[in-house]
């Protein structure tokens, strides 16, 4: 193995190394070698090659950095009053988005930029090394373009969510035409993905199809907010159009689950790596809205790919803590710690088509050709590490709510 002079780091003192790699599995008394921005060696500490520098973690667990594949970080304003009312028994409805839209439109560029930067730092401090975020609180051509431009300065994956809600006073059909036309044209240069809130009170299945079709023709990958508030056509639409993910998934029929489980199947009955529609569950949002928890256990048992994301937003999930989301998945959704960690790392990477298989299959939209895969700790992947101040990953659920993130490496650089 040839290492770059002066650039190799040996990381030892790892009691448990959760690689999220099927061949490597979970290693004890392990070590990792980083060269520049990538992982070049993983194995038993006693067999580690020499490197230019060494870091002893003193007996701590190491996971891949969290891949948070669903956030809404570009916003201003406060909706704590709405939250308090919901905790007092009022039901959640999509209309609260309009409150955030008004505050976001009124904010200066410098303020929005600073707010997004602060939220990214907060996420990083909790072990998140890869973030997606959406537009959707501007809902005019100029404000959606501004949101996408600001987001692109802070995260690697930006999603166009002009179809978040029909702004007050506008005709739904006229607004869909605007989203599919001038708004899409303005935002597309800054975005990689497009999303739509396919839900009662937001956009119908037919309207959602028009938006997604137009966005696909513009070269954007597809995602769907679906089946959050009740049974609906979001999952079916996402699978039909080959969307990378459908997110929320609180109200699924057996047919929806079967469709997600078989979404990556090829014509010969085998799976096509990087083509399936990932079911992204949002545990913090489910708790905040007092919704039925998404059936993550049933999805996994059926063979569907599951991701866990924070859904950080001011109305229904005001947290960037993936540690909390993983703990909730274990404590309340029936996942093992291994399944939850996998969903919050490799699952998120697959939902963003930034995993090794998707990059090899060419299914990542607007791929640059030099992007390293994320979501695993294995040679050839980007060096994104989350070090826990604990000897094992199970402590995330065993000690819920505790500040367990000890250190973070992102692309080979130690950030904490």
């Amino acid at each position: 193995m040839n290492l770059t002079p002066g650039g190799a780091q040996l990381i030892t003192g790892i009691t448990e190394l959760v690689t999220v790699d099927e061949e490597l599995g979970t290693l004890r008394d392990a070590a990792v070698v980083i060269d520049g921005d990538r992982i070049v060696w993983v194995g038993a500490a006693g067999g580690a090659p020499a490197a230019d520098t060494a870091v002893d973690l003193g007996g701590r667990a190491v996971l891949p950095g969290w891949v948070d594949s669903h956030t809404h970080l570009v916003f201003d304003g406060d909706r704590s009053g709405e939250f308090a009312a919901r905790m007092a028994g009022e039901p959640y409805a999509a209309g609260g988005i309009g409150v955030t839209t008004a505050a976001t439109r009124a904010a200066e560029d410098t303020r929005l930029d600073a707010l997004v930067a602060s939220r990214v730092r907060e996420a990083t401090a909790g072990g998140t090394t890869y973030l997606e975020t959406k537009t959707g609180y501007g809902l005019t051509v100029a404000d959606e373009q501004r949101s996408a431009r600001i987001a692109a300065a802070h995260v690697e994956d930006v999603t166009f969510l002009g179809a978040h809600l029909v702004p007050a006073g506008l005709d739904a059909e006229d607004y869909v035409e605007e989203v599919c036309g001038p708004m899409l044209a303005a935002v597309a240069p800054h975005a990689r993905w497009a999303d739509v809130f396919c839900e009662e009170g937001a956009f119908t299945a037919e309207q959602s199809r028009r938006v997604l079709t137009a966005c696909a023709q513009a070269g954007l990958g597809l995602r769907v907010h679906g089946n959050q508030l009740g049974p609906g056509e979001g999952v079916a639409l996402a699978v039909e159009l080959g969307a990378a993910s459908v997110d929320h998934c609180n109200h699924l029929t057996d047919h929806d689950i079967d469709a997600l489980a078989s979404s990556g199947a090829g014509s010969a009955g085998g799976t096509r790596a990087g083509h399936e529609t990932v079911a992204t569950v949002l545990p913090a949002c489910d708790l905040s809205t007092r919704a039925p928890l998404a059936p993550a256990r049933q999805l996994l048992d059926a063979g569907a790919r599951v991701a866990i994301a924070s859904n950080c937003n001011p109305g229904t999930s005001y947290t960037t803590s993936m540690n909390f989301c993983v703990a909730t998945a274990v404590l309340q959704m029936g996942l093992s710690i291994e399944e939850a960690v996998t969903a919050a790392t490799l699952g998120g990477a697959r939902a963003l088509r930034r995993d090794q298989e998707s990059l090899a299959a060419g299914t990542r939209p607007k791929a640059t050709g030099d992007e390293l895969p994320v979501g695993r700790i294995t040679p050839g992947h980007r060096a994104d590490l989350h070090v826990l101040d604990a000897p094992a990953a199970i402590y995330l659920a065993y000690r819920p709510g505790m500040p367990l993130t000890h250190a973070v490496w992102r692309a080979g650089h130690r950030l904490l």
Side-chain angles (χ1 to χ4, degrees), residues 144-145 148 158 160 181-193 214-215 218-220 366:
E144 285 293 290
Q145 182 187 50
V158 176
F160 169 44
M183 191 180 290
L184 171 59
V187 174
H190 306 286
R192 189 184 301 272
W193 301 95
C215 290
L220 301 182
K366 296 189 175 183

Side-chain angles (χ1 to χ4, degrees), residues 199 226-232 235 248-253 256 291-292 294-295:
E199 202 77 57
N227 299 65
Q228 178 188 7
L229 305 181
V235 167
H248 287 289
C249 297
N250 299 89
H251 299 273
L252 301 184
T253 65
D256 290 329

Side-chain angles (χ1 to χ4, degrees), residues 187-244:
V187 174
H190 306 286
R192 189 184 301 272
W193 301 95
D195 199 345
V196 61
F197 194 4
C198 182
E199 202 77 57
E200 184 176 352
F203 294 88
T204 67
E206 189 276 330
Q207 291 166 340
S208 298
R209 181 190 301 277
R210 284 161 54 195
V211 170
L212 294 171
T213 300
C215 290
Q217 292 172 348
L220 301 182
L222 304 182
R223 333 187 65 73
V224 175
H225 278 58
N227 299 65
Q228 178 188 7
L229 305 181
E233 299 181 63
V235 167
L237 183 63
V239 171
E240 176 193 342
L241 297 182

